[in-house]
Amino acid sequence: HTGMPTAQDEGRDGDGTLPDLAGPEFRRGCFIASPHRRDVIDDFVSHTGARIATGTVGTRPPTRACLRFLADHARSKGTVFKEVLEEWISGHGLWSVSTLAEDKDTYLTRPDLGRLLSEELLKRRYADAPQVVIVLSDGLSTDALLANYEEILPPLLNGLKQAGIRAGAPLFLRHGRVKAEDRIGEAVGCDVVVMLVGERPGLGQSESMSCYAVYRPTADTLESDRSVLSNIHREGTPPVEAAAVIVDLVRDMLHWKASGIKLNRRQAGDAGA
């Protein structure tokens, strides 16, 4: 028996459907028939979302593992192509602007267009340049934005305010690439741009978000100039905790007038002085 529920199983839902293949009962647990040390495997499984202890049927994976793989793959593909609804954007009071990538197909096939947007719109929107501009983007995972928004943006804005840092109104950037934050920062003239963007989804984890923060970005900004916090989601770095880390990061960037490797070097130089 592979452990996969069938139509006759007691685990069948009341509406006549099978349990969600992406649910915790399929994602976590030891499915090895006769493990030598079940306690060790259970402990291992409890500390990771990786695909382990799935068991085998002869030399092949069990039906359960195969179906879960297909379900996770479908979920990952779905969040890449899914669009953030305008109702969600307006319902959260966000100002929205799109890059030159007019749809998801263009966004995926023309990364360069996902880095460009109307700078005149930004200049008019942020006529009085704030210290910090927070950019929210769907990126490669719409689920990441929708799942983490409520737990990361309010505490982030509140933390910046308590730190005496003036943040502008958050911006939603549709079809955005990380490099777009350089155009935004240069057009607005702010000190720091913080981009919260959906990461490329993995199998079984489509809600992971990353933060890319950069000090005084320009078109010539290098990738090494960015400070990055990744793996933000409920099973990774919790969104609320990430918000606190980002506030401290922004404070350090404003103090040292640097980000990325330059920030690390200046901090290390001060510690060694």
Side-chain angles (χ1 to χ4, degrees), residues 76-92:
S76 296
K77 288 178 62 178
T79 191
V80 170
F81 286 97
K82 192 188 323 182
E83 295 280 9
V84 178
L85 298 177
E86 289 295 337
E87 290 83 355
W88 186 93
I89 298 170
S90 59
H92 287 85

Side-chain angles (χ1 to χ4, degrees), residues 252-266:
D252 288 344
M253 291 167 65
L254 292 172
H255 174 74
W256 293 103
K257 302 184 185 306
S259 56
I261 291 177
K262 292 177 183 177
L263 175 61
N264 295 342
R265 287 174 175 169
R266 293 182 186 182

Side-chain angles (χ1 to χ4, degrees), residues 60-139:
R60 301 178 181 181
T63 303
R64 179 203 314 105
C66 291
L67 292 178
R68 182 192 152 195
F69 182 93
L70 294 174
D72 288 344
H73 187 248
R75 182 181 180 187
S76 296
K77 288 178 62 178
T79 191
V80 170
F81 286 97
K82 192 188 323 182
E83 295 280 9
V84 178
L85 298 177
E86 289 295 337
E87 290 83 355
W88 186 93
I89 298 170
S90 59
H92 287 85
L94 295 173
W95 180 57
S96 174
V97 64
S98 178
T99 64
L100 299 189
E102 57 190 22
D103 53 41
K104 274 296 175 76
D105 284 337
T106 305
Y107 171 75
L108 294 171
T109 56
R110 290 288 305 276
D112 56 317
L113 297 182
R115 303 175 185 127
L116 303 174
L117 66 161
S118 172
E119 296 181 19
E120 289 303 317
L121 283 176
L122 294 168
K123 291 176 181 178
R124 291 198 296 268
R125 177 69 177 184
Y126 298 100
D128 181 17
Q131 287 178 283
V132 179
V133 170
I134 298 173
V135 181
L136 302 141
S137 185
D138 44 5

Side-chain angles (χ1 to χ4, degrees), residues 3-36:
M4 180 65 201
T6 66
Q8 290 75 35
D9 286 337
E10 293 181 358
R12 181 170 177 162
D13 294 343
D15 61 357
T17 62
L18 295 175
D20 182 6
L21 287 169
E25 68 271 27
F26 290 96
R27 295 181 58 201
R28 293 292 180 89
C30 174
F31 301 107
I32 300 174
S34 300
H36 179 62

Side-chain angles (χ1 to χ4, degrees), residues 29 39 41 56 67 78 85 87 92 125 159 169 184 220-221 224 244-245 259:
D39 57 327
I41 295 176
T56 59
L67 292 178
L85 298 177
E87 290 83 355
H92 287 85
R125 177 69 177 184
I184 294 171
D220 297 323
T221 293
S224 60
V245 173
S259 56

